[in-house]
Amino acid sequence: MTDMNDFFLTAPSMEYAEEITAFRRELFEADDADSFAGCSGLEEYEHPQDWLRHLAERSNSNTLPAGKVPSDAYLAVRRSDNRLIGIIDLRHHIDHPILGLWGGHMGYTVRPSERGKGYAKEMLRLNLENCRKRGMEQVLITCSADNPASEKTILANGGIFDKEIDVDGDTVRRYWIIL
């Protein structure tokens, strides 16, 4: 059983550059369409410093690219070996046509070699604390209908089923978590 006290969320930094690079490589090797969900564009940046610059732009409403909403990304790091086990993001609001319909307030990914150990459930729980600190009262979390692991994670954190919607031929399930 995985010790969830051996794990924390932290802001991405160059301290974790090697882990970010290894995490990115592992996701590409997994060749899974949803591998980069919640990674705040990591797939687009070969060098960690470029990704960190991108994250800084995304978190500040003054430097935010047009059509985007402010967001923060967090690294899920295991204390015992300082290993990056996942990335989760938090969109400050969902006043956006895609986010309000099926994107939701956050997305998350666990490193393929660390999946099935309960990390996603704890990552979501910890990020809900970040939501509370921001004064949010409820959050929309979505998952593909063919992703039972993500659905289980959402339900374990109090997700209340809202509805299913079709997004380009994929059925997406919407859940609200009341904070």
Side-chain angles (χ1 to χ4, degrees):
M1 185 70 175
T2 303
D3 178 7
M4 290 305 147
N5 292 321
D6 185 35
F7 144 178
F8 62 97
L9 295 185
T10 189
S13 70
M14 284 304 291
E15 174 185 354
Y16 297 102
E18 287 182 27
E19 279 297 307
I20 292 167
T21 299
F23 182 92
R24 182 179 183 273
R25 183 175 44 252
E26 189 172 327
L27 288 177
F28 272 120
E29 289 169 359
D31 196 29
D32 172 7
D34 290 332
S35 283
F36 284 93
C39 289
S40 298
L42 178 60
E43 68 276 16
E44 299 172 25
Y45 298 94
E46 185 175 343
H47 302 289
Q49 65 271 21
D50 296 333
W51 182 59
L52 294 173
R53 202 171 10 261
H54 165 76
L55 295 177
E57 290 173 0
R58 295 288 302 264
S59 69
N60 183 332
S61 54
N62 295 324
T63 57
L64 190 64
K68 303 293 183 183
V69 302
S71 63
D72 296 308
Y74 300 95
L75 305 180
V77 177
R78 190 168 47 215
R79 280 184 180 89
S80 61
D81 58 3
N82 216 33
R83 182 174 169 87
L84 173 58
I85 56 169
I87 299 175
I88 190 166
D89 65 3
L90 172 57
R91 298 166 195 120
H92 300 180
H93 64 79
I94 56 171
D95 298 331
H96 181 279
I98 292 173
L99 298 178
L101 182 61
W102 61 269
H105 283 96
M106 62 184 82
Y108 46 87
T109 294
V110 172
R111 188 178 203 136
S113 60
E114 299 289 351
R115 292 180 181 162
K117 299 177 183 178
Y119 287 120
K121 177 182 169 185
E122 184 67 3
M123 286 168 54
L124 179 53
R125 186 191 72 75
L126 292 170
N127 210 24
L128 291 172
E129 289 301 317
N130 291 329
C131 294
R132 287 181 184 93
K133 289 175 187 172
R134 294 194 65 76
M136 301 167 80
E137 296 179 4
Q138 64 180 4
V139 294
L140 175 65
I141 311 285
T142 66
C143 67
S144 176
D146 64 2
N147 187 344
S150 189
E151 183 175 35
K152 184 178 176 184
T153 294
I154 295 166
L155 291 170
N157 277 282
I160 301 166
F161 179 74
D162 177 39
K163 64 182 175 182
E164 288 185 343
I165 58 171
D166 179 75
V167 179
D168 299 327
D170 185 30
T171 301
V172 173
R173 293 187 175 145
R174 295 168 38 107
Y175 293 88
W176 288 97
I177 298 177
I178 308 303
L179 304 172

